Amino acid sequence: MIPGQFSYHRPGTLADAVKLLADLGDEARPLAGGHSLIPTMKLRLATPEHLVDLAGIGELKGIRRDGGTVVIGAMTTQHELLASTDIASALPILHETALLIADPQVRYCGTLGGNVANGDPGNDMPALMMTLGASYRLKGPGGDRDVAARDFYQGAYFTALEPGEILASVSIPVPPAGHGYAYEKLKRKVGDYATAAAAVVLTMSGGKVATCSIGLTNLSETPLVAEAAAQAVIGSALDASALKNAAAAAVAIMSPAGDGRGPAEYRKHVGGIMVERALKRAAAKAA
Ligand SMILES: Cc1cc2nc3c(=O)[nH]c(=O)nc-3n(C[C@H](O)[C@H](O)[C@H](O)COP(=O)(O)OP(=O)(O)OC[C@H]3O[C@@H](n4cnc5c(N)ncnc54)[C@H](O)[C@@H]3O)c2cc1C
């Protein structure tokens, strides 16, 4: 459980970090909270020769409102998300989801940027970011670009990040006032990754679902957007048959691996239940 040898770098600006990563090449990795990368290095599943610590870069921190969007610096910790009254009021589902990640010790160190950049299908934030229609600002040697969260995840631990690019911030459109939301996560014990989880953001009008977005965590090698499941409830009063149709449409796109959290069929089954529960709870919260 001792990592291989590496050199440690601590740039003070984002520009310096980008330059370092470009100069050091393939064997360099950004280090955020270290709560995924360091355990992976201890298991020798990753053996980077250089770690570029982003902790000293002030421009990667903070939460600010920009019109109808909340912009969150990549190095903002999950604890800081939970402490933010802006997040609690504008993006309550982000508060709810952050609270379901691991335990306080992990949340003090783990960052939003590290959580979404890692490409781990078990992480909770990626599916939520897809549900909310978030986009990621990437900075690299070739300049800046914005990538929609929905286009970012390409395979397990495989994302749209190009070599040398750093995820600088996450921009999240604020859902309309009165929206309903829920993140339902089944886990074996407090602090565990999801066996299956579903995020729902919806609006209701006249007792019927007007808009709906559904995301799924740890039910495939990437986070998923369940488009057909959302379509199955739009226009309905969320009666039993609409809920069943939505769950079935979501299950149809799931392809989890069987692992210590259960066989694939079990995880798909409970994934459908998470979708139903999240829809019901979100609708009950909608104004
Ligand atoms: C015991 C335990 C339980 C956990 N349970 C959960 C859970 O239930 N749900 C959950 O969602 N997470 C869970 N986590 C993960 C944790 O929440 C962190 O979010 C996660 O470790 C990644 O964030 P980090 O800041 O630690 O990133 P790091 O570990 O520092 O980095 C992770 C990866 O992302 C890259 N990276 C980091 N930041 C950037 C950036 N800005 N730009 C480009 N690349 C970057 C790194 O190079 C590395 O490859 C758990 C972790 C532990 C140790």
Side-chain angles (χ1 to χ4, degrees), residues 21-55:
L21 284 171
D23 291 348
L24 295 169
D26 285 351
E27 293 308 321
R29 293 273 286 274
L31 173 68
H35 270 51
S36 289
L37 184 53
I38 301 294
T40 314
M41 289 170 61
K42 285 183 169 177
L43 293 168
R44 305 276 176 132
L45 296 172
T47 52
E49 289 172 11
H50 302 275
L51 289 186
V52 177
D53 190 349
L54 307 179

Side-chain angles (χ1 to χ4, degrees), residues 29-30 32-37 78 111 115 124 167 185 192-193:
R29 293 273 286 274
H35 270 51
S36 289
L37 184 53
Q78 292 145 12
T111 64
N115 195 288
D124 292 291
L167 189 150
K185 175 175 176 177
D192 194 16
Y193 289 89

Side-chain angles (χ1 to χ4, degrees), residues 59-261:
E59 61 207 284
L60 290 179
K61 295 286 273 187
I63 300 165
R64 68 182 168 84
R65 185 78 181 247
D66 182 6
T69 303
V70 173
V71 183
I72 305 172
M75 287 298 287
T76 304
T77 64
Q78 292 145 12
H79 169 75
E80 287 164 341
L81 295 177
L82 285 169
S84 164
T85 50
D86 288 340
I87 296 292
S89 61
L91 292 165
I93 193 172
L94 178 51
H95 182 99
E96 178 172 307
T97 306
L99 205 49
L100 292 171
I101 291 180
D103 49 46
Q105 288 94 328
V106 172
R107 297 196 294 258
Y108 278 126
C109 292
T111 64
L112 178 62
N115 195 288
V116 300
N118 198 22
D120 182 342
N123 281 357
D124 292 291
M125 290 296 174
L128 176 61
M129 294 302 135
M130 291 164 85
T131 305
L132 287 164
S135 73
Y136 303 154
R137 170 67 53 92
L138 311 181
K139 285 188 182 275
D144 295 6
R145 62 189 182 112
D146 292 313
V147 176
R150 291 182 180 206
D151 298 329
F152 188 74
Y153 300 98
Q154 300 173 349
Y157 302 97
F158 184 53
T159 69
L161 272 172
E162 296 288 349
E165 274 186 328
I166 291 174
L167 189 150
S169 61
V170 176
S171 294
I172 309 172
V174 176
H179 73 279
Y181 62 90
Y183 190 74
E184 283 288 337
K185 175 175 176 177
L186 180 73
K187 48 193 189 303
R188 292 172 303 179
K189 60 182 175 58
V190 171
D192 194 16
Y193 289 89
T195 301
V200 168
V201 175
L202 53 69
T203 57
M204 303 286 289
S205 174
K208 295 192 168 164
V209 179
T211 63
C212 182
S213 179
I214 303 175
L216 305 172
T217 295
N218 223 5
L219 289 162
S220 174
E221 64 169 29
T222 62
L224 297 171
V225 176
E227 288 277 3
Q231 287 303 323
V233 295
I234 290 174
S236 82
L238 272 187
D239 50 277
S241 81
L243 285 168
K244 287 283 165 232
N245 288 342
V251 168
I253 63 166
M254 297 173 190
S255 54
D259 63 11
R261 293 180 179 82

